[in-house]
Amino acid sequence: METVTIKDIAKALNISTSTVSRALRGSYEINAETKRLVMEYAEKVHYSPNPIALSLKENKSRAIGVIVPEIANHFFSQAINSIEEVANSRGYHVVIFQSHESYEREVTNIQHIIARKVDGLLISLSGQTSDVSHLHEIQRKKLPLVLFDRISHKIDAHKVVADNFDGAFKATEHLILSGRKRIAHITSPSLLSITQERLAGYRAALEKHGFQYDESLVKYCGFSAEEPKRIIEELIESQNPDAIFTTSDRLALDCFSALREKNILMPNDVAFIGFTNLKVAHLLEPSLSTVVQPAFEIGQAAAELLLDSIERKTTNIEQFRTIKIPTEMIVRKSSES
Amino acid sequence: METVTIKDIAKALNISTSTVSRALRGSYEINAETKRLVMEYAEKVHYSPNPIALSLKENKSRAIGVIVPEIANHFFSQAINSIEEVANSRGYHVVIFQSHESYEREVTNIQHIIARKVDGLLISLSGQTSDVSHLHEIQRKKLPLVLFDRISHKIDAHKVVADNFDGAFKATEHLILSGRKRIAHITSPSLLSITQERLAGYRAALEKHGFQYDESLVKYCGFSAEEPKRIIEELIESQNPDAIFTTSDRLALDCFSALREKNILMPNDVAFIGFTNLKVAHLLEPSLSTVVQPAFEIGQAAAELLLDSIERKTTNIEQFRTIKIPTEMIVRKSSES
DNA sequence: TTGTAAGCGTTATCAC
DNA sequence: GTGATAACGCTTACAA
């Protein structure tokens, strides 16, 4: 990787490196002619400043770290999409890490991130994360931090989330209003903030309409390939729901698969709604109404919040913000049975 | 972002920075006691070396750049997944860029990448990319480069691809053997290497079985939201295919949608096969046989090739390799009409 | 075994 | 208006 440095330019032009530097960054105290000369030569040899040297000098890397449970998950890849967009437009680069839903790997990632000297960190917690001392460590080091989507209440920091309560409320109410009585809720691990918020929305809707909350209709699923399948089959068999409200593409698909196998028809036998991202959702199953996860908006807001936080000099007496992105419900005609 | 440096340790222990450095990196020419002291203190104050300083010194960043058309695409996010895994396990970080299928943005990304001083680059070309002088520029700078999936024949470099010819051949033959006569092929922009390879496989299978290649059954689609929809509808209407072989999740979904709207049944009226990634594929439509895109394996092989190339000192007289990953065809019973 | 000093590429602070 | 010099954090000849 051959490179042209400021030194090479200085040597070639028989001037000092400081002059070159000044010319390049358009300092005013410089001879117009010298400046032109330098600029021309720099252009000619494709000079580009070494960002690593800059980083060392300024003690910042113009890179932000992003830790997500899994890249190959539509929600997170969409979020990363917008994060990348915002970051790039503001001159930052994005360094990606995956926790693979493992607390340990999340901690390791954090260590890497700290060592890497990124200027800030965006994180969505793993399904196993309960203890957040690794995040406190980040804050102790005064590294700007924004949690998004899967957050923790054990830490005071910037947060960006979907309005999961409202989304779940709307979803559940939709099922109720279309006449369903036994509305199952299949959701993510109970540890996660999104799980709790959605459960609360589900319960609130039930209560509003005079339904009794029935614990046996609620199932938490991990991220393995088999567990959801098993749990869902069990639920369908033993609880006989006439509607299902689920919280991810993955779980929705597993539900469809299970229903298909048992020859249970949607929307006749079972009405369905889910928090999903796939544009495919309604192709998959025309009766699938959806609460769209605002992945793009969450990533965008999180990245902007982080960059603002990085660039604000007076980072000390900073108020932590929590941004809640509204969700949109898309109701398919065919589910209005 | 407060930090402990080697200097702080030296000062605290009243020794020189070089001694600290030597102790830390376990140099042999050092007193065991001094070493212990340094190690202990470093541990205590959570010392971690500044990778930026290292980078500057060694002129390498231990980061690799990845340019993909779109992160929020299952194929690429899966590929990034394995790239991240390989890179991390070998002590590298992954910096992500998206071209958004735009040649211009690809060029800009390359400039960023070069400026960023990554140690190597993985790239999958945009749908608009024909000219590859930006890649030649990369090579001129002796920056290790691996093209994956969407490659170009205009450049001699390491490449990792799926066996698209074979996959397309198998897919087409499968449709032929199940009795189909008018097999449409809906595919990506004709510029792309994958498009050409798959088209060749499709043609070869037709020829083997004595079918005449019919241009009007082959349609190229861009990546906009509307174009594929329009093209597909037109094709179905005017050409009356009894089978469709398509080359991406996106296109498969658009086909399903179009067929549904026209009340054309699968697999009775139309048999279907596609290059897809979604595990969902067969849930979507039980008749969908699939040639699985080996995204994970491609990413893995590409990352390994790149890192080997980076770490091999004698990068000069290096043979360029092309790795072809086999594809697997998954045939659903119900498509054997 | 340890310390001194130079150097990686850049900019800021002094002189001149 | 320009040039020398120090500094960012670290490693490594070279001296001691």
Side-chain angles (χ1 to χ4, degrees):
Chain A
M1 181 68 183
E2 50 176 55
T3 323
V4 185
T5 75
I6 225 171
K7 238 183 213 170
D8 301 322
I9 302 182
K11 207 171 294 171
L13 265 47
N14 249 313
I15 54 181
S16 77
T17 58
S18 22
T19 304
V20 177
S21 173
R22 275 188 284 249
L24 255 19
R25 62 193 39 266
S27 174
Y28 41 96
E29 42 177 15
I30 191 153
N31 183 300
E33 174 61 7
T34 316
K35 183 168 171 178
R36 195 185 55 73
L37 238 50
V38 171
M39 293 301 244
E40 252 171 32
Y41 187 77
E43 181 76 13
K44 189 180 127 207
V45 298
H46 296 109
Y47 169 79
S48 85
N50 184 330
I52 295 180
L54 264 298
S55 290
L56 182 59
K57 193 141 196 31
E58 302 173 0
N59 199 31
K60 59 198 199 53
S61 60
R62 293 221 141 234
I64 60 173
V66 180
I67 301 180
V68 294
E70 208 73 56
I71 293 172
N73 166 313
H74 208 69
F75 175 80
F76 291 116
S77 61
Q78 267 184 279
I80 291 173
N81 182 0
S82 55
I83 291 169
E84 202 262 351
E85 201 156 300
V86 172
N88 268 23
S89 77
R90 290 175 63 165
Y92 285 77
H93 297 269
V94 175
V95 186
I96 302 275
F97 296 81
Q98 303 186 70
S99 65
H100 292 293
E101 302 288 2
S102 145
Y103 171 66
E104 270 179 36
R105 289 189 74 152
E106 186 173 297
V107 172
T108 313
N109 283 340
I110 293 271
Q111 287 161 355
H112 276 78
I113 285 275
I114 293 178
R116 255 275 135 167
K117 301 243 180 305
V118 295
D119 293 342
L121 172 62
L122 288 170
I123 186 170
S124 196
L125 300 178
S126 92
Q128 286 179 2
T129 304
S130 166
D131 177 25
V132 292
S133 45
H134 53 313
L135 299 184
H136 286 126
E137 175 67 10
I138 290 280
Q139 293 191 314
R140 214 185 49 68
K141 300 225 178 212
K142 304 236 184 304
L143 185 63
L145 170 71
V146 176
L147 285 82
F148 70 99
D149 192 52
R150 298 161 167 209
I151 62 172
S152 166
H153 296 292
K154 296 184 190 155
I155 187 165
D156 195 21
H158 289 307
K159 297 169 190 174
V160 179
V161 292
D163 193 341
N164 288 299
F165 178 92
D166 180 63
F169 186 92
K170 284 187 297 200
T172 310
E173 188 165 54
H174 166 69
L175 294 171
I176 294 172
L177 294 179
S178 52
R180 305 296 169 159
K181 302 294 182 202
R182 290 185 61 71
I183 302 171
H185 181 35
I186 300 175
T187 184
S188 34
S190 56
L191 214 53
L192 290 173
S193 57
I194 51 176
T195 308
Q196 293 158 17
E197 292 158 16
R198 289 164 184 172
L199 181 65
Y202 167 78
R203 292 190 68 155
L206 291 180
E207 272 156 33
K208 176 180 167 192
H209 292 275
F211 282 70
Q212 176 117 34
Y213 171 69
D214 179 355
E215 217 174 22
S216 52
L217 281 168
V218 176
K219 297 293 174 193
Y220 306 95
C221 296
F223 300 99
S224 72
E226 316 76 29
E227 192 193 350
K229 198 170 143 57
R230 189 173 46 72
I231 292 178
I232 289 166
E233 281 174 6
E234 228 174 80
L235 172 83
I236 294 176
E237 207 123 296
S238 68
Q239 297 299 327
N240 236 308
D242 61 4
I244 300 177
F245 164 41
T246 194
T247 57
S248 72
D249 292 326
R250 262 298 308 281
L251 293 174
L253 293 171
D254 284 332
C255 284
F256 291 161
S257 179
L259 292 172
R260 241 187 241 276
E261 268 180 32
K262 298 196 188 307
N263 284 315
I264 297 175
L265 295 181
M266 291 177 287
N268 294 341
D269 303 332
V270 170
F272 202 94
I273 193 162
F275 269 90
T276 57
N277 292 291
L278 296 175
K279 291 210 194 93
V280 223
H282 71 283
L283 287 176
L284 249 174
E285 178 48 64
S287 71
L288 173 61
S289 293
T290 292
V291 178
V292 182
Q293 292 182 323
F296 192 90
E297 291 80 3
I298 289 181
Q300 192 172 39
E304 276 166 2
L305 195 48
L306 182 68
L307 294 179
D308 287 349
S309 174
I310 289 173
E311 287 170 357
R312 176 156 33 259
K313 313 302 164 203
T314 60
T315 180
N316 277 336
I317 317 170
E318 188 176 16
Q319 279 295 329
F320 288 123
R321 297 184 54 195
T322 293
I323 298 178
K324 199 172 279 187
I325 312 281
T327 61
E328 191 195 353
M329 180 164 69
I330 298 178
V331 175
R332 313 287 169 195
K333 290 273 162 44
S334 47
S335 74
E336 319 252 29
S337 63
Chain B
M1 180 68 182
E2 50 176 57
T3 322
V4 185
T5 74
I6 226 172
K7 236 184 214 168
D8 300 322
I9 302 182
K11 205 172 294 170
L13 265 45
N14 247 313
I15 54 182
S16 78
T17 57
S18 33
T19 305
V20 176
S21 172
R22 278 188 282 249
L24 254 22
R25 61 193 38 264
S27 174
Y28 40 95
E29 43 177 14
I30 193 155
N31 182 299
E33 175 60 8
T34 316
K35 183 169 171 179
R36 196 184 54 74
L37 238 52
V38 171
M39 293 302 246
E40 252 170 32
Y41 187 77
E43 180 75 14
K44 190 179 127 208
V45 297
H46 295 109
Y47 169 79
S48 85
N50 185 330
I52 295 179
L54 262 298
S55 290
L56 182 58
K57 187 135 198 35
E58 303 174 359
N59 199 31
K60 59 198 200 53
S61 60
R62 293 222 140 234
I64 60 174
V66 180
I67 302 180
V68 293
E70 208 72 58
I71 294 172
N73 166 313
H74 208 69
F75 175 80
F76 292 115
S77 62
Q78 268 184 278
I80 291 173
N81 182 359
S82 54
I83 291 169
E84 202 262 351
E85 202 156 297
V86 171
N88 268 23
S89 76
R90 291 175 61 165
Y92 285 76
H93 298 269
V94 175
V95 186
I96 303 275
F97 296 81
Q98 303 186 69
S99 64
H100 293 291
E101 303 288 1
S102 146
Y103 171 67
E104 269 180 37
R105 289 190 72 154
E106 187 174 294
V107 172
T108 313
N109 284 339
I110 293 270
Q111 287 161 355
H112 276 78
I113 284 275
I114 292 178
R116 254 276 135 168
K117 301 242 180 302
V118 294
D119 293 341
L121 173 61
L122 288 170
I123 186 169
S124 196
L125 300 177
S126 92
Q128 287 180 3
T129 303
S130 165
D131 178 23
V132 292
S133 45
H134 52 315
L135 299 184
H136 287 126
E137 175 68 10
I138 289 279
Q139 293 192 314
R140 214 186 49 68
K141 300 224 177 212
K142 304 237 185 301
L143 186 62
L145 171 71
V146 176
L147 284 83
F148 70 100
D149 192 52
R150 299 161 166 209
I151 62 172
S152 165
H153 297 291
K154 296 183 191 157
I155 187 167
D156 194 21
H158 289 305
K159 296 169 189 174
V160 179
V161 293
D163 193 340
N164 288 301
F165 178 91
D166 180 64
F169 186 92
K170 284 187 299 200
T172 310
E173 189 165 54
H174 165 71
L175 293 171
I176 293 173
L177 294 179
S178 52
R180 304 296 169 158
K181 303 291 183 204
R182 291 186 60 73
I183 303 171
H185 181 36
I186 299 175
T187 184
S188 33
S190 57
L191 215 53
L192 289 174
S193 57
I194 51 175
T195 308
Q196 293 158 16
E197 293 159 15
R198 289 164 184 171
L199 181 64
Y202 166 80
R203 292 189 69 155
L206 290 181
E207 274 156 31
K208 175 181 167 190
H209 292 275
F211 282 70
Q212 176 117 34
Y213 171 69
D214 179 355
E215 217 174 23
S216 52
L217 282 169
V218 175
K219 297 292 174 195
Y220 306 94
C221 295
F223 300 99
S224 73
E226 317 76 31
E227 194 193 349
K229 199 171 142 57
R230 188 174 47 70
I231 292 179
I232 289 167
E233 279 173 8
E234 229 174 80
L235 171 83
I236 293 175
E237 208 123 297
S238 67
Q239 297 299 326
N240 237 309
D242 60 5
I244 299 176
F245 163 40
T246 194
T247 57
S248 72
D249 292 327
R250 261 299 309 280
L251 293 174
L253 293 170
D254 284 331
C255 284
F256 291 160
S257 178
L259 292 171
R260 243 186 241 275
E261 268 180 32
K262 298 196 188 307
N263 283 316
I264 297 175
L265 293 182
M266 289 177 289
N268 295 341
D269 302 333
V270 170
F272 203 93
I273 193 163
F275 269 90
T276 57
N277 292 291
L278 295 175
K279 291 211 194 91
V280 224
H282 72 284
L283 288 176
L284 247 173
E285 177 48 62
S287 72
L288 172 61
S289 294
T290 292
V291 177
V292 183
Q293 291 182 325
F296 192 90
E297 291 80 3
I298 289 181
Q300 193 172 39
E304 277 166 2
L305 196 48
L306 182 68
L307 294 180
D308 286 349
S309 173
I310 289 173
E311 287 171 357
R312 174 160 28 261
K313 311 303 165 201
T314 61
T315 182
N316 276 337
I317 318 171
E318 190 175 14
Q319 279 295 329
F320 288 124
R321 297 183 55 193
T322 293
I323 297 178
K324 199 172 279 187
I325 311 281
T327 61
E328 191 196 352
M329 180 164 69
I330 299 178
V331 174
R332 313 287 170 195
K333 290 273 163 40
S334 47
S335 73
E336 320 252 29
S337 64

